[in-house]
Amino acid sequence: MAIRSFFAPFLFFALCSYSSLTPVLSLYEDQVGLMDWHQQYIGKVKQAVFSTQKTGRRRVIVSTEENVIASLDLRHGEIFWRHLLGSNDVIDGIDIGLGKYVITLSSGGSVLRSWNLPDGQMMWESSLQGPKHSKSLLLVPTNLKIEKDNVIVVFSNGRLHAVSCIDGEVLWNKDFEAESFEALQVIQPPGSDLIYVVGFAASSQFEMYQINARNGELLKHERATFSSGFLREVSLVSSETVVALDSTGSILLTISFQNGEISFQQTPISSLVEDPSGPAVIIPSSVPGIFAIKTNAFTIFIRVIGEGKLEVVEKTNHETTVSNVLPISEGQQAFALVQHAGSEIHLAVKIAHDWDGNLLKESIKMDQQRGLVHKVFINNYIRTDRSHGFRVLIVMEDHSLLLLQQGAIVWSREDGLASVIDVTASELPVERDGVSVAKVEHNLFEWLKGHMLKLKGTLMLASPEDVAAIQSMRLKSSEKSKMTRDHNGFRKLLVVLTRAGKLFALHTGDGRIVWSHFLQSLHKSGTCQSPIGLNLYQWQVPHHHAMDENPSVLVISRCGPSSDAPVVLSFVDTYTGKELNSLSLVHGVVQVIPLPYTDSTEQRLHLLIDSDKHAHLYPTTSEALRIFKREFSNIYWYSVEDHNGIIKGHALKCKCTDEAADEFCFDTRDLWSVVFPSESGKIIATVTRKLNEVVHTQAKVIADQDVMYKYISRNLLFVATVAPKGSGEIGSVTPEESWLVAYLIDTVTGRILHRVTHHGARGPVHAVFSENWIVYHYFNLRAHRYEMSVIEIYDQSRADNKDVWKLVLGKHNLSSPISLFSRPEVITKSQSYFFTHSVKAIAVTSTAKGITSKQLLVGTIGDQVLALDKRFLDPRRSVNPTQAEKEEGIIPLTDSLPIIPQSYVTHALRVEGLRGIITVPAKLESTTLVFAHGVDLFFTQLAPSRTYDSLTEDFSYALLLLTIVALVAAIFVTWRLSERKELQDKWR
């Protein structure tokens, strides 16, 4: 008793002291970047304007296909500032006004904005309306003033506007009422107060308007007709001359409107080039006196000489790109010409009126994985010897951006990653090298040294050098950037497919690009002018007996948007990025079905459905065919025709009866169909479970030791429909005219298992399906708020197994076979809650065994990712839960879902243009890997139930060792003291 009473207070004090020093599960400032990374991009550049003032930073202003306006540092390519406009606010033009304002025209010419050049703050915004929709043209003259106001000229919506550059006030406007008139150029000759607007009316009439730039008065309107018609593209070769093609693409028309008089000069292309090789198109450019046309085989540069006569100056069969025009001195203008030649590009800078002379001629070695040069922008600077130097900004086919200077690539940006369309994860190689004794001893020494430093830091005895060493060792010890697997499964490769058709492998440790590969099938070529990457699928995932094989992915691409267009299958090694094989299919593809079967080499079987409803099996091997035939009767799938409001179920019938078909082709049959009449509903969302989702248990133990059984089925489909009027914009319909209906449909039988109607609700709908529950987000018109609803579905056929002891002792019927053709006995529980934010995407966490609690990952309108505990969306929540329900963890019911600031997975960062959230399970059950993509990329590790199965990286083993030593010493001391006290008691 003496030992126990003496030692207990000391033991309690020691344990409390140690527990108070253990790290809490929150993110400190110095931990940012250890488990997450964030990368900023801008997308494919479509316009660029250089700003190289003598004072201030040198930068280039760009607009991109992702609707981004950005200011980039010319030295390193870093982003100074950027703005992402809305998806409906497409950028039509950019320029720089007064040397200090960035002028942007967007929304089809309806919105004109001015931004402060140094910091990107918006100065003003003007709305430009007009009588009709038309092409948008922006002109920022350098020498045009109206009453000391510098003027911006905009043609949009069938109206010409003159806008003040200072405050955005519209000074005057002029309507162009002819319905068929399409403006192609707005021209302001240097030093003149005239503005010319030229374009086509109907298909064969050229029109010219001459307008007073100071007051918008129409001075002259001329028109001329060309009986053969025009192609809708012109090239400006001078302030009073344009060049166009006739409707056949075989005759060049030099159109002059000097002094307001229109004249045509016709020149057949065949008279300039012996073999034009088909119809030509004009390459848009504004080089004075020179224009370019492109035929099937050649790019031809033509000079305009006196009285509209034409002269060929160069003909090349290389891919050629022409830059913008750059004034370099009084009366001199330069432009850049980029041509491809194998693995190099040839850059030439020429004077506009001297084709044969070159200001600069260089050859730069270029990675062929970047594809062709799509756009070129040129800028000059003055060297120390007072000669002209040039910088060239080029946009590549893979959407990357590069700056060339003095024959070298100064910097490059992989902005193709701003348009990720599909993502899959791949394991890294297994580390197989042996470890030497010297390495073990070194690692032991480093381990001891590291924990001694951590102990000094804990006791606040570390010097600044020690603190820096601790941080360095923490980063090094994490080994997050190694190219081998780790035992926790944190290190993986994220293989992403971009809209440009390029594959990237990103390391989850630090986000670096391990390899990139531009698929040959997605290169623009003579046989395919518009290749499209469709999807990315896991093709081979080696494990167990196939560890010697490298994992690979399947990329499906198509030439054009049509479902009948030729399709190419590409197989890519995820370790090296090498294209292993490529198959050109004779059939189209409208649907791809990954099957849950693999062959002896771990290649997954896939079923490709063509437009004739034939199913094609891949890989085309005898083993795959044998496996497929064995499971022939168990393969079902569905298709959704949202434009027709029809969902159909399909199964296999027999081998194809066509004579040209092979043994891997099968006919299909329709099993069922569900039709949603257009007057009652329109399909706006369909969601099913992930194929690779792991469910830990079907049983759910609730209060009072009762058991409910989840209805787990991979063949369950969630469908959301809205009233026909409810599919428009918010505010376009009243609550009485709109409703939203949610369905749960069995895709094997077509049976509707559940249906619920939300009156006064409308889309857009974002939903996620996991285990036996669905969460979906929509807008409530009656409450003027967003809502989230949850549906949970349970299996009543196992109602006899409600005793938890039967479940523990194995006396249940959970292993009895289930057939979807027998009508299931199911019940559903549902609940709705208000939610503060509009939503862009919803996902759910996934773990290796499915044991860890689920969290919803909500991509908010603010481009952040919010982690929301699934317990908040439990349909069994009530206002006053019973004591048993409280013990179970049921949260009291509230009408709104809580938004906890600490629950933002992205912290203070934003994933601009957020489009998707992907979750990948780690080997460690507590942890899931989260990847969010949009214009930006973000990756992190998330532990929904905290890291209950591991210690943190900065856990102090040294302090634990000291505590154990102290406890052992305390036991020994107290034992000696107790022995002495007992001896003294006996002598008394």
Side-chain angles (χ1 to χ4, degrees), residues 439-468:
K439 186 174 180 180
V440 172
E441 292 176 350
H442 174 74
N443 289 343
L444 181 60
F445 172 75
E446 290 292 328
W447 184 84
L448 291 172
K449 178 183 175 182
H451 286 294
M452 288 304 297
L453 285 172
K454 286 182 181 179
L455 180 60
K456 289 175 70 175
T458 303
L459 300 176
M460 302 182 71
L461 299 174
S463 64
E465 292 78 10
D466 291 337
V467 172

Short mmCIF file of all heavy atoms in Angstrom, two decimals, residues 439-468:
data_model
loop_
_atom_site.label_atom_id
_atom_site.label_comp_id
_atom_site.label_asym_id
_atom_site.label_seq_id
_atom_site.Cartn_x
_atom_site.Cartn_y
_atom_site.Cartn_z
N LYS A 439 25.44 2.11 -44.50
CA LYS A 439 24.25 2.95 -44.61
C LYS A 439 23.39 2.84 -43.37
O LYS A 439 22.84 3.83 -42.88
CB LYS A 439 23.46 2.55 -45.86
CG LYS A 439 22.27 3.47 -46.13
CD LYS A 439 21.60 3.12 -47.45
CE LYS A 439 20.42 4.06 -47.70
NZ LYS A 439 19.74 3.75 -48.97
N VAL A 440 23.29 1.63 -42.82
CA VAL A 440 22.52 1.44 -41.59
C VAL A 440 23.14 2.23 -40.45
O VAL A 440 22.46 2.92 -39.68
CB VAL A 440 22.43 -0.06 -41.23
CG1 VAL A 440 21.81 -0.24 -39.87
CG2 VAL A 440 21.62 -0.80 -42.30
N GLU A 441 24.48 2.15 -40.32
CA GLU A 441 25.16 2.89 -39.26
C GLU A 441 24.99 4.39 -39.45
O GLU A 441 24.77 5.13 -38.48
CB GLU A 441 26.65 2.51 -39.25
CG GLU A 441 26.91 1.07 -38.81
CD GLU A 441 28.38 0.72 -38.91
OE1 GLU A 441 29.13 1.52 -39.50
OE2 GLU A 441 28.75 -0.35 -38.40
N HIS A 442 25.07 4.85 -40.70
CA HIS A 442 24.89 6.27 -40.97
C HIS A 442 23.48 6.71 -40.59
O HIS A 442 23.29 7.76 -39.96
CB HIS A 442 25.17 6.54 -42.45
CG HIS A 442 24.89 7.96 -42.85
ND1 HIS A 442 25.70 9.01 -42.50
CD2 HIS A 442 23.86 8.49 -43.57
CE1 HIS A 442 25.21 10.13 -42.99
NE2 HIS A 442 24.09 9.84 -43.65
N ASN A 443 22.48 5.89 -40.99
CA ASN A 443 21.09 6.23 -40.67
C ASN A 443 20.86 6.24 -39.17
O ASN A 443 20.10 7.07 -38.66
CB ASN A 443 20.14 5.23 -41.34
CG ASN A 443 20.10 5.42 -42.85
OD1 ASN A 443 20.51 6.44 -43.36
ND2 ASN A 443 19.61 4.41 -43.56
N LEU A 444 21.49 5.31 -38.44
CA LEU A 444 21.36 5.28 -36.99
C LEU A 444 21.94 6.53 -36.37
O LEU A 444 21.34 7.14 -35.47
CB LEU A 444 22.06 4.03 -36.43
CG LEU A 444 21.98 3.84 -34.90
CD1 LEU A 444 20.53 3.73 -34.45
CD2 LEU A 444 22.78 2.62 -34.47
N PHE A 445 23.11 6.95 -36.89
CA PHE A 445 23.73 8.18 -36.38
C PHE A 445 22.83 9.39 -36.65
O PHE A 445 22.64 10.25 -35.78
CB PHE A 445 25.11 8.36 -37.03
CG PHE A 445 25.75 9.68 -36.72
CD1 PHE A 445 26.31 9.91 -35.46
CD2 PHE A 445 25.79 10.70 -37.67
CE1 PHE A 445 26.90 11.12 -35.17
CE2 PHE A 445 26.37 11.91 -37.38
CZ PHE A 445 26.94 12.14 -36.13
N GLU A 446 22.29 9.47 -37.88
CA GLU A 446 21.41 10.58 -38.23
C GLU A 446 20.15 10.56 -37.36
O GLU A 446 19.64 11.61 -36.96
CB GLU A 446 21.02 10.49 -39.72
CG GLU A 446 22.16 10.79 -40.68
CD GLU A 446 22.59 12.25 -40.62
OE1 GLU A 446 21.72 13.11 -40.37
OE2 GLU A 446 23.79 12.53 -40.80
N TRP A 447 19.65 9.35 -37.06
CA TRP A 447 18.46 9.23 -36.22
C TRP A 447 18.72 9.78 -34.82
O TRP A 447 17.94 10.54 -34.28
CB TRP A 447 18.05 7.77 -36.18
CG TRP A 447 16.78 7.49 -35.42
CD1 TRP A 447 15.52 7.59 -35.89
CD2 TRP A 447 16.67 7.07 -34.06
NE1 TRP A 447 14.62 7.26 -34.92
CE2 TRP A 447 15.30 6.94 -33.77
CE3 TRP A 447 17.60 6.79 -33.04
CZ2 TRP A 447 14.83 6.56 -32.53
CZ3 TRP A 447 17.13 6.40 -31.82
CH2 TRP A 447 15.76 6.29 -31.56
N LEU A 448 19.85 9.37 -34.24
CA LEU A 448 20.19 9.86 -32.91
C LEU A 448 20.42 11.37 -32.91
O LEU A 448 19.96 12.09 -32.01
CB LEU A 448 21.45 9.14 -32.40
CG LEU A 448 21.27 7.65 -32.08
CD1 LEU A 448 22.62 7.01 -31.79
CD2 LEU A 448 20.32 7.47 -30.89
N LYS A 449 21.12 11.84 -33.94
CA LYS A 449 21.39 13.28 -34.03
C LYS A 449 20.09 14.06 -34.16
O LYS A 449 19.91 15.11 -33.51
CB LYS A 449 22.30 13.54 -35.25
CG LYS A 449 22.62 15.01 -35.47
CD LYS A 449 23.47 15.18 -36.73
CE LYS A 449 23.69 16.66 -37.03
NZ LYS A 449 24.46 16.85 -38.28
N GLY A 450 19.18 13.56 -34.99
CA GLY A 450 17.91 14.24 -35.19
C GLY A 450 17.09 14.34 -33.92
O GLY A 450 16.53 15.39 -33.61
N HIS A 451 17.04 13.26 -33.15
CA HIS A 451 16.23 13.29 -31.93
C HIS A 451 16.89 14.11 -30.83
O HIS A 451 16.20 14.69 -29.99
CB HIS A 451 15.94 11.87 -31.46
CG HIS A 451 14.91 11.18 -32.30
ND1 HIS A 451 13.60 11.59 -32.37
CD2 HIS A 451 15.00 10.13 -33.16
CE1 HIS A 451 12.92 10.82 -33.18
NE2 HIS A 451 13.76 9.92 -33.69
N MET A 452 18.21 14.21 -30.82
CA MET A 452 18.87 15.11 -29.88
C MET A 452 18.54 16.56 -30.22
O MET A 452 18.30 17.38 -29.32
CB MET A 452 20.39 14.88 -29.93
CG MET A 452 20.84 13.57 -29.31
SD MET A 452 20.29 13.38 -27.59
CE MET A 452 21.16 14.75 -26.81
N LEU A 453 18.51 16.88 -31.52
CA LEU A 453 18.14 18.24 -31.92
C LEU A 453 16.68 18.53 -31.56
O LEU A 453 16.36 19.63 -31.10
CB LEU A 453 18.35 18.41 -33.43
CG LEU A 453 19.80 18.55 -33.91
CD1 LEU A 453 19.87 18.53 -35.43
CD2 LEU A 453 20.42 19.86 -33.40
N LYS A 454 15.79 17.54 -31.76
CA LYS A 454 14.39 17.74 -31.41
C LYS A 454 14.22 17.94 -29.90
O LYS A 454 13.39 18.74 -29.45
CB LYS A 454 13.55 16.55 -31.87
CG LYS A 454 13.34 16.50 -33.38
CD LYS A 454 12.46 15.31 -33.76
CE LYS A 454 12.27 15.25 -35.26
NZ LYS A 454 11.44 14.09 -35.66
N LEU A 455 15.03 17.22 -29.12
CA LEU A 455 14.97 17.38 -27.67
C LEU A 455 15.42 18.77 -27.27
O LEU A 455 14.80 19.41 -26.41
CB LEU A 455 15.86 16.31 -27.00
CG LEU A 455 15.91 16.35 -25.48
CD1 LEU A 455 14.51 16.14 -24.89
CD2 LEU A 455 16.87 15.31 -24.93
N LYS A 456 16.49 19.27 -27.90
CA LYS A 456 16.94 20.63 -27.63
C LYS A 456 15.85 21.64 -28.00
O LYS A 456 15.64 22.63 -27.28
CB LYS A 456 18.23 20.93 -28.41
CG LYS A 456 19.45 20.18 -27.88
CD LYS A 456 20.66 20.41 -28.76
CE LYS A 456 21.16 21.84 -28.64
NZ LYS A 456 22.42 22.02 -29.42
N GLY A 457 15.17 21.39 -29.12
CA GLY A 457 14.10 22.29 -29.52
C GLY A 457 12.94 22.25 -28.55
O GLY A 457 12.35 23.28 -28.23
N THR A 458 12.61 21.06 -28.03
CA THR A 458 11.51 20.93 -27.06
C THR A 458 11.83 21.66 -25.76
O THR A 458 10.96 22.29 -25.16
CB THR A 458 11.24 19.44 -26.78
OG1 THR A 458 10.95 18.78 -28.01
CG2 THR A 458 10.07 19.27 -25.83
N LEU A 459 13.09 21.57 -25.35
CA LEU A 459 13.51 22.22 -24.11
C LEU A 459 13.91 23.68 -24.32
O LEU A 459 14.45 24.32 -23.42
CB LEU A 459 14.70 21.45 -23.50
CG LEU A 459 14.39 19.99 -23.14
CD1 LEU A 459 15.66 19.30 -22.64
CD2 LEU A 459 13.29 19.91 -22.09
N MET A 460 13.66 24.20 -25.54
CA MET A 460 13.95 25.59 -25.91
C MET A 460 15.42 25.94 -25.73
O MET A 460 15.78 27.03 -25.29
CB MET A 460 13.06 26.56 -25.09
CG MET A 460 11.56 26.29 -25.27
SD MET A 460 10.51 27.44 -24.38
CE MET A 460 10.76 28.92 -25.34
N LEU A 461 16.29 24.99 -26.05
CA LEU A 461 17.74 25.21 -25.95
C LEU A 461 18.39 25.26 -27.34
O LEU A 461 19.61 25.39 -27.43
CB LEU A 461 18.38 24.07 -25.14
CG LEU A 461 17.89 23.91 -23.70
CD1 LEU A 461 18.52 22.67 -23.07
CD2 LEU A 461 18.22 25.15 -22.88
N ALA A 462 17.59 25.18 -28.41
CA ALA A 462 18.14 25.11 -29.75
C ALA A 462 18.53 26.50 -30.25
O ALA A 462 17.81 27.48 -30.05
CB ALA A 462 17.12 24.49 -30.71
N SER A 463 19.69 26.56 -30.90
CA SER A 463 20.15 27.80 -31.52
C SER A 463 19.44 27.97 -32.86
O SER A 463 18.82 27.03 -33.36
CB SER A 463 21.65 27.73 -31.73
OG SER A 463 21.99 26.69 -32.64
N PRO A 464 19.54 29.16 -33.49
CA PRO A 464 18.94 29.33 -34.82
C PRO A 464 19.45 28.31 -35.83
O PRO A 464 18.70 27.85 -36.69
CB PRO A 464 19.34 30.76 -35.21
CG PRO A 464 19.51 31.47 -33.91
CD PRO A 464 20.06 30.43 -32.97
N GLU A 465 20.74 27.95 -35.74
CA GLU A 465 21.29 26.94 -36.65
C GLU A 465 20.64 25.58 -36.41
O GLU A 465 20.36 24.82 -37.35
CB GLU A 465 22.81 26.83 -36.49
CG GLU A 465 23.59 28.05 -36.97
CD GLU A 465 23.54 29.20 -35.96
OE1 GLU A 465 23.06 28.96 -34.81
OE2 GLU A 465 23.95 30.31 -36.30
N ASP A 466 20.38 25.28 -35.10
CA ASP A 466 19.72 24.01 -34.79
C ASP A 466 18.29 23.98 -35.32
O ASP A 466 17.82 22.95 -35.81
CB ASP A 466 19.72 23.78 -33.27
CG ASP A 466 21.10 23.52 -32.73
OD1 ASP A 466 21.97 23.10 -33.52
OD2 ASP A 466 21.33 23.76 -31.52
N VAL A 467 17.60 25.12 -35.22
CA VAL A 467 16.22 25.20 -35.72
C VAL A 467 16.19 24.96 -37.22
O VAL A 467 15.35 24.22 -37.75
CB VAL A 467 15.59 26.56 -35.38
CG1 VAL A 467 14.22 26.70 -36.06
CG2 VAL A 467 15.45 26.73 -33.87
N ALA A 468 17.16 25.58 -37.94
CA ALA A 468 17.24 25.37 -39.39
C ALA A 468 17.57 23.91 -39.71
O ALA A 468 17.02 23.33 -40.66
CB ALA A 468 18.29 26.30 -40.00
#
